[in-house]
Amino acid sequence: MKKSITLCSLIFFSGVVSAQGYSLSCDDSRLLFPKQTLSTDDSLDVLADRSEISKGDTYLLTGNVSLNSSAYFLAADEIQIKKTDKTSTAKGGVKYQDDELMFVGESAVVKKKADNNHITLQQVSFHYPESKMNGKASQVVNDGVSQVFDSVSYTLCPLGNTDWQMKADQITLNSDTNRGVASDVVVEFLGVPIFYAPHHEWVLEGRGSGFLAPSFGSYHESVADQNNNYQVRIPYYFNIAADRDLLLSLNQLSSRGSIIEAKYRQLITANDYVDGGRFEIEGHYLNEDKITKNKRWLLNSTIDLALNDKTDLNITTNRVSDKDYFKEIAHTNTSGSALNSKVDLTFEDADKNLNMVFFAESEQLINSGTSKYTRAPELSISKGFTGLDNRRMDLSLVSTKFANKDSSYTTGIRTHAQANFSRSITTDAYSLTPKLNLSTTDYALDNTTNESRSIYSVGLDSKLFLEREVNLFGTDLIQTLTPRLAYNYTPEKTDPSVNFDSESKSDSYESLFSGQKFTGIDRIGKANDLTFGLESDFIDEETGETYLSLKSAQSFYADAVSPNGSDRKYSDIAMSANITLDDLSFNNSLEFDPETNKIDKRDSSMSYILNPRKFLTLAHHDDNGTKSAELYGAYPITQNVHVFAGINRSITNSITNKETTGIAYESCCWALRLAHFKKHISGNDYDYITNFELVLKGLASTSPGLAARLEEEVPNYLANLKDL
């Protein structure tokens, strides 16, 4: 019965799409009356001040009467027991309790029939201690199969609080048919009706079809020269079967028109061909845009299949009608440059250390994106071998066909074969890792001469492990000190004329020790480098937490030629320092140029985090003069009200890249949130959208997607309006 009523409340606002409701912060353990311990055997324990026997089989108990069995507890001012028909009639100050719920009412009749207790209660208050649901009804009848509530109202607010409540003339729950039926349903919030349904039916166990909570918002539409446009989305959920469902929504944009949105999901059960999987397709359609007069649409689909225990297949399609769809219709992904569709077939045998991948992709440019190389397709295979004394050999072969929508770009097929040999020699005092890399690359190009390149590289990475015990500020710590020395050699080779996927690496700590100057395969810089580094950690001897971590490294070029082509004999000095002190943390990494005595690149951040509703994070980035700053935080104004914000601003050109601000109110019973998003598109063009969210405890949010967006835009913020 408890589950049935809870599902009843969920159905009106969430359609029982998800079993997880919203549970706002509230520590309320109050009950209708002190909880009684039920009998542990089949006997009926009877207590009363006075008792009378009439008509042979009828007992009248008065004065502090209580009946306690293994199935229920019943107390009242007066209880009449008829042994013949196994009926107990209680009057005055009635209290009833079983293993799920509690009732307090004027009268009650409990009748034993077969294995069920038939109960009828009048003018009752009820309470489910586990779910915290409580309410009132003029009459409750439970025959063991169906429960009928007349003139019922209930809420998930604490006892005595009815900020929101659901009322119905009658609710019938039938466990045999797994159906619930309600008539004249009204949801009231702060005494104001906000939802009405003359008749509603739903399933008691599992998912059920029904309307979900509508969502509301406003947005700025610069094209329409209107600042106060509104958005209303009304979703309806179809529970087609246990393994499939459909979400159909009407999304009304005041400046653009009505958009039909649909999302179909299906689980694929294991059969003779696949081990299982999942299929999902989503489509949006606007028949005629009020402004452009064009049809606007979106189509996304994903299929994930486990062909067997070693082979997985993923096919993803993402398409929109035009490049401005996200800016003008969706008001999301406005900073994206392309939509990628892909086919990814992977075979992985962990026991044999064998991996094979077939991958193909295509792109659709959106917003102000420019074309990039796509892999259409790529086939790769890799195999690892582990020998004695940590000897390892890794072989790989990858062949990629590169395509580009811009015909001015060189396209073609690149085939790259590589063999890596390494051995890790590790003791408590030191580690040595020599390595050898052999590779050959062949370019079959479409509109220029074919090219090829074979090259080798060698390297040695060594570490010395030192540690000592220290005491700082009264805390026993272990300080580790790890000097590190690496040598990397790669002979000079002419790079191919085409560059499909290589970019210069920054002088970060790990990249200096790798000996690699570029990402990807096309560019392999000459190296004859000796890299010195030093690492030191301060670790709490008792808890194992690291309070301070320091790193520094610099490379020296024996051939006096740096990766940027200058005659410098050394790299920038890469340094980082990370400090964690209880709720306060500092993180700083930089690249220092000893020739100019200037910092080329720096990333700094400071965070003070007491909890996900009270924190502050400041960050500053400087990449060769391109500077930006970030601010993220939340602060409780009162016990119930908190504000939150996230700002990313370019200091170099004084442009706010994105900005999020908002305020929220939370109580034990309901919550309200207002969030405003501003995102830079290009020039003086910004996208603005404001979302409103209302959560009634135990029911769904009116903006279920808002929490995920807030957690992305404001890191460290717990966006769900529920217990911290």
Side-chain angles (χ1 to χ4, degrees), residues 84-303:
T84 304
D85 55 7
K86 299 180 180 179
T87 301
S88 299
T89 303
K91 296 180 181 179
V94 175
K95 298 176 182 178
Y96 176 88
Q97 172 196 321
D98 61 20
D99 59 352
E100 294 182 342
L101 56 85
M102 291 180 165
F103 283 113
V104 172
E106 294 182 358
S107 64
V109 177
V110 180
K111 188 171 184 177
K112 181 74 171 179
K113 290 186 177 181
D115 295 330
N116 294 325
N117 290 313
H118 292 219
I119 310 164
T120 302
L121 302 106
Q122 305 292 336
Q123 301 302 324
V124 297
S125 297
F126 56 88
H127 178 51
Y128 291 85
E130 184 176 339
S131 67
K132 307 300 182 184
M133 188 182 70
N134 61 90
K136 295 181 179 181
S138 63
Q139 178 176 273
V140 178
V141 178
N142 179 10
D143 64 6
V145 175
S146 64
Q147 301 87 42
V148 180
F149 295 76
D150 291 329
S151 300
V152 60
S153 65
Y154 59 92
T155 181
L156 279 91
C157 297
L159 280 170
N161 186 325
T162 56
D163 284 353
W164 78 261
Q165 58 181 335
M166 189 175 292
K167 297 181 177 180
D169 279 358
Q170 188 178 82
I171 295 177
T172 301
L173 312 174
N174 191 302
S175 57
D176 279 357
T177 62
N178 195 34
R179 300 292 296 179
V181 178
S183 60
D184 288 331
V185 182
V186 176
V187 178
E188 291 184 357
F189 176 58
L190 299 179
V192 178
I194 61 173
F195 176 83
Y196 171 76
H199 179 83
H200 195 74
E201 296 187 18
W202 66 97
V203 295
L204 302 181
E205 295 289 343
R207 303 171 305 178
S209 301
F211 281 102
L212 310 186
S215 60
F216 307 91
S218 65
Y219 61 95
H220 173 72
E221 182 69 84
S222 58
V223 177
D225 195 24
Q226 299 175 6
N227 295 325
N228 297 312
N229 295 286
Y230 66 85
Q231 178 185 28
V232 180
R233 178 181 280 107
I234 302 175
Y236 189 91
Y237 177 77
F238 292 91
N239 178 37
I240 301 173
D243 61 347
R244 66 195 71 181
D245 58 19
L246 172 67
L247 181 63
L248 186 65
S249 303
L250 174 63
N251 184 10
Q252 179 67 36
L253 299 178
S254 59
S255 64
R256 297 287 178 171
S258 299
I259 305 170
I260 301 298
E261 302 177 353
K263 178 181 285 189
Y264 174 79
R265 303 181 301 177
Q266 179 176 345
L267 296 176
I268 301 172
T269 57
N271 52 49
D272 293 338
Y273 306 100
V274 298
D275 284 353
R278 185 174 184 272
F279 171 69
E280 182 176 305
I281 184 168
E282 178 181 12
H284 299 178
Y285 182 73
L286 172 59
N287 186 56
E288 183 178 353
D289 189 324
K290 291 181 181 179
I291 298 176
T292 67
K293 307 303 179 183
N294 295 326
K295 291 180 172 59
R296 313 292 291 272
W297 53 265
L298 172 147
L299 181 63
N300 296 333
S301 68
T302 300
I303 181 168

Side-chain angles (χ1 to χ4, degrees), residues 44 53-59 80-89 110-114:
L44 179 64
I53 302 176
S54 61
K55 299 181 182 179
D57 65 343
T58 301
Y59 296 84
Q80 186 181 73
I81 302 175
K82 291 185 178 181
K83 295 183 63 177
T84 304
D85 55 7
K86 299 180 180 179
T87 301
S88 299
T89 303
V110 180
K111 188 171 184 177
K112 181 74 171 179
K113 290 186 177 181

Side-chain angles (χ1 to χ4, degrees), residues 14 41 96 218 305 400 485 506 605 627 703:
S14 68
D41 53 40
Y96 176 88
S218 65
L305 294 176
T400 310
L485 175 64
S506 62
S605 68
K627 300 179 180 180
S703 296

Side-chain angles (χ1 to χ4, degrees), residues 514-560:
S514 71
Q516 298 175 354
K517 308 301 190 298
F518 301 93
T519 63
I521 294 174
D522 299 312
R523 298 291 180 262
I524 300 179
K526 177 184 178 182
N528 190 8
D529 311 339
L530 198 62
T531 302
F532 295 91
L534 190 64
E535 306 174 25
S536 183
D537 292 336
F538 290 81
I539 304 169
D540 190 305
E541 193 170 356
E542 189 173 315
T543 66
E545 295 181 3
T546 300
Y547 290 118
L548 175 62
S549 179
L550 303 171
K551 292 182 179 181
S552 179
Q554 185 178 23
S555 292
F556 294 86
Y557 311 127
D559 291 337

